[in-house]
Amino acid sequence: MSSLDMEKLVSLCKRRGFIFPSSEIYGGIGGFWDYGPLGVELKRNIKDAWWHDMIRTRDDMVGLDCSIIMNPRVWEASGHVGGFSDPLVDCKKTKERYRADQLWVFVYRFNAKDAPGAMIEFWWGSLGGGPDEARPAAEARASKVAKKLGAPVDSSVVGYMQVAPEDREKVIGPSVEESGTLTEPRSFNLMFKTYVGALESDSNVAYLRPETAQGIFANFKNVCDTGRVKLPFGIAQVGKSFRNEINPRNFTFRSREFEQMEIEFFCKPEEAKEWYAYWRKTRFDWYVSLGLQSDKLRLRDHDPDELAFYSTATADIEYAFPFGVSELEGIAHRGDYDLTQHMKFSGKDLTYFDEDSKSRFTPHVIEPSAGADRATLAFLCEAYTEDKVDNDTRTVLKFHPRLAPIKTAVFPLVKRDGMPEKAASIHQQIREKFASFYDEKGAVGRRYRRQDEAGTPYCITVDGQTLTDDTVTIRDRDSLRQWRVPSANIDVIIGDMISGKLQPPQGEISGGSES
Ligand code: GAP
């Protein structure tokens, strides 16, 4: 998908009710998004699939749902109060604010026109996750200057943080024409602050959690004391997190309010390496099992200089989004850092007594930490397809049936002869188990197209034959195959199709057309 197609996806999301800008009627608010009727089902299905596959169907996992606002000491212990910050640069002229680690400086040198041998330099600041993303804006500026001075003699790029302090004055900000408007980088804490109770004083400060993980560590003892858990085991949580991101961007990819799906998997120190390898693979395979192509995914191991001081290994699962290859989930080997910190700050004993070896120790932790919104965006990007049907371009979202917001749409072929009544009763029968939609408006071909755009994997049509032999056609979204099945156990058939037990039959298309 090209960057132009990202615009198409954003527009489809808006048009079909997947994702809207938050509080849009008031002009929106940067970094916040709302999920519409289809989007809420899609995101819920992703969270449910994660919960089902990672927690409910495993003996070594339990769940948790803890409060968003916690005792602020939690965030001192975790290091977020002291260190959860990004380097920030302000533009004194436009009042814009940039993340210094996402500001790239492109130095272009041109021959001066009126002074042979002399050079003119331009230090253009441009924004992007990496230099490649930032380059087009700098190139556009360079080609304007090149019209007057001729092609540049050379060019180079460096991160703003790496520009020598005495050279920062030379940098031209992304939205201005003159140099010297950017400030020195300074630290900016990403946590949203609030006050608990009536007094807005320093002693009442609290934070909206920037990750769900710390709630798990803070409840480790509660779960051990009450949950009959035995190492190795994991505690999982899905919930909202908040980060006052300086540059929210790329649609929902970097938002200020988002949902995380996090696991803290506790194990014996000597087994941690194996569990790290296990979770690295298990989480990668999970995305593939739900339809992300493995060649668009990659596991990137962090270089030693990227690792937190307590971590011996961390890997990111990255996905080739239309705007670049970016992080979907992180899997970190966190050692005993978090439990040790919380013991220090709370004074409570969070060690574990192992009955088998009769020994007490601090468990080590493997943390697979995923974002529900980033996963939703990746599944949307992967699903978005344009193909040709009957010489028309069809836009279709090819979601895995488990994730599709609506599983079936039921249509009467025409609005008479008892077909609407029959179709409505089939719709009722299915919706007891799966999200279903009833539609009797317009030509059946147009109804198919509407469902294709919503990503509905199966359309069921009641036609003249239904009234004689009680069979209906199922139409498969991706292969466009249609075949007849008895209507009596349609809900079971749909269930088997969703779970993959049943596939669309091969061979002839039996009855029905696209129009
Ligand atoms: N407890 C570890 C932790 O929070 P992280 O890499 O900061 O690690 C984990 O976040 C995941 O949360 C990311 O891989 C991403 O999927 C999601 N995430 C983080 N910041 C986000 C943001 N601003 N917008 C959307 N998702 C975000």
Side-chain angles (χ1 to χ4, degrees), residues 31 80 84 210-214 217 241-243 245 248-249 252-262 264 287 316-317 327-330 332 334 367-375:
H80 284 82
F84 191 55
E211 61 172 27
T212 57
Q214 297 305 323
F217 295 122
S241 293
F242 303 81
R243 296 182 190 178
E245 298 282 358
R249 65 204 173 97
T252 57
F253 181 83
R254 191 174 301 287
S255 307
R256 289 179 165 135
E257 175 177 340
F258 54 96
E259 267 182 287
Q260 288 187 308
M261 309 187 288
E262 295 202 289
E264 305 302 329
Y287 290 105
D316 287 344
I317 300 177
E327 177 188 332
L328 202 51
E329 167 161 355
R334 299 182 61 90
E367 177 190 71
S369 172
D373 305 84
R374 278 202 195 161

Side-chain angles (χ1 to χ4, degrees), residues 189-215:
N189 195 296
L190 297 186
M191 283 198 294
F192 279 100
K193 248 187 205 174
T194 186
Y195 299 94
V196 172
L199 281 182
E200 293 198 3
S201 70
D202 283 351
S203 57
N204 291 3
V205 163
Y207 303 97
L208 303 192
R209 68 179 175 205
E211 61 172 27
T212 57
Q214 297 305 323

